[in-house]
Amino acid sequence: MIIIPARLKSTRFPQKMLADIAGVPLIVRTAQNAAKVDDVVVACDDMILFEVCQKHKVKVIMTSVEHQSGTDRCAEAYKKLGLSKDEIILNIQGDEPFLEKEVIVKLQETLKKSDFMASLAKKITKEEARDSNLVKVVLSNDKKAIYFSRSIIPYNRDNIDFTGYLGHLGVYGFFGWSLEEFCILQKTQLEEIEKLEQLRAIFHQKTIMMDVVETKSIGIDTQEDLKKALALHNE
């Protein structure tokens, strides 16, 4: 099951879920794309989004406006849907309308190698790594996440020749039981400071199994991201 958490309000890009992508709203385009891999439900917080999804025949469920993270929203949807604790649940962000099918499948495969949760990363340039809107991640030798940050990591103190910067893709894989467990973990200052919910798992020593993929997908956080994504899609 793929659950796409979506909220209408967005600080950097107001009402971005309604942005036009190839003639349909962003949230609808993302759901239609993800449906190439598995069953999809949008977990939203506003009747406008709810009605937009229904209009386009996208399965949708209302969730609380109080959620502070997409994963918390997914957990509510998981419970309301009555899914099994062993169900593989993919959390795909609503601003990833061009995520390739093979990337979503890779997330499923990576989760099967994990004992808690999984996510993905892609190679990025040093210039891209300086962008605080693009989350960076560093991995251990067995592809487990060590840390995520909006700052550039690792910091290249001596400016050596380094091409290993990794950008995090906003996708997560859980089992039903691990999704429940993640959401009852105590939130941390790291999560609050960076505004990155995955740091909750790192702080509590939960494994985030990672894999590095090739993708042209761009998470749409700003108007500029939307322009880049549309330009790539129209190439």
Side-chain angles (χ1 to χ4, degrees), residues 26-64:
L26 170 58
I27 185 60
V28 173
R29 180 68 176 81
T30 301
Q32 291 173 340
N33 182 62
K36 298 172 185 176
V37 176
D38 205 344
D39 292 336
V40 172
V41 62
V42 171
C44 71
D45 71 343
D46 191 282
M47 280 304 299
I48 293 176
L49 288 177
F50 187 88
E51 291 171 358
V52 163
C53 288
Q54 284 198 320
K55 177 183 176 181
H56 289 86
K57 311 300 182 185
V58 172
K59 187 174 181 179
V60 60
I61 190 168
M62 281 292 292
T63 54
S64 172

Side-chain angles (χ1 to χ4, degrees), residues 4-215:
I4 303 175
R7 62 189 184 96
L8 188 60
K9 295 180 180 178
S10 176
T11 303
R12 288 173 290 178
F13 189 167
Q15 296 195 329
K16 71 175 180 179
M17 289 299 162
L18 301 178
D20 184 86
I21 303 288
V24 296
L26 170 58
I27 185 60
V28 173
R29 180 68 176 81
T30 301
Q32 291 173 340
N33 182 62
K36 298 172 185 176
V37 176
D38 205 344
D39 292 336
V40 172
V41 62
V42 171
C44 71
D45 71 343
D46 191 282
M47 280 304 299
I48 293 176
L49 288 177
F50 187 88
E51 291 171 358
V52 163
C53 288
Q54 284 198 320
K55 177 183 176 181
H56 289 86
K57 311 300 182 185
V58 172
K59 187 174 181 179
V60 60
I61 190 168
M62 281 292 292
T63 54
S64 172
V65 297
E66 302 298 324
H67 292 310
Q68 298 299 307
S69 76
T71 302
D72 292 325
R73 193 173 306 284
C74 284
E76 182 184 348
Y78 152 78
K79 291 175 183 177
K80 285 186 172 181
L81 291 166
L83 300 176
S84 163
K85 288 185 180 291
D86 294 324
E87 179 84 24
I88 287 179
I89 298 169
L90 303 187
N91 172 353
I92 304 294
Q93 302 304 305
D95 58 10
E96 289 276 2
F98 303 124
L99 198 62
E100 297 88 348
K101 177 180 177 180
E102 55 268 28
V103 171
I104 301 175
V105 171
K106 174 59 73 173
L107 180 61
Q108 289 177 322
E109 295 172 349
T110 304
L111 179 63
K112 292 174 183 178
K113 297 183 285 186
S114 173
D115 60 6
F116 190 74
M117 61 184 287
S119 194
L120 301 173
K122 63 179 180 180
K123 293 182 179 180
I124 58 174
T125 65
K126 184 177 181 179
E127 290 68 33
E128 290 173 319
R130 293 193 180 103
D131 183 356
S132 62
N133 288 318
L134 178 57
V135 177
K136 276 67 66 177
V137 60
V138 290
L139 309 182
S140 65
N141 65 342
D142 56 354
K143 292 188 177 180
K144 294 174 183 175
I146 298 172
Y147 193 69
F148 299 84
S149 183
R150 296 186 185 280
S151 297
I152 187 168
I153 54 172
Y155 178 73
N156 196 342
R157 192 194 72 168
D158 295 327
N159 199 31
I160 63 174
D161 186 20
F162 180 72
T163 58
Y165 292 107
L166 295 175
H168 180 228
L169 300 183
V171 296
Y172 300 98
F174 290 93
F175 304 102
W177 65 265
S178 63
L179 177 59
E180 287 185 345
E181 186 174 337
F182 177 91
C183 291
I184 62 174
L185 292 174
Q186 184 177 359
K187 294 183 180 181
T188 73
Q189 271 198 322
L190 289 179
E191 178 179 357
E192 293 299 323
I193 290 170
E194 295 258 23
K195 299 302 180 189
L196 298 174
E197 60 183 322
Q198 61 270 39
L199 291 175
R200 192 187 316 174
I202 297 291
F203 182 86
H204 291 287
Q205 298 180 306
K206 300 296 183 180
T207 299
I208 304 179
M209 186 64 68
M210 302 287 299
D211 213 331
V212 179
V213 297
E214 292 186 9
T215 176

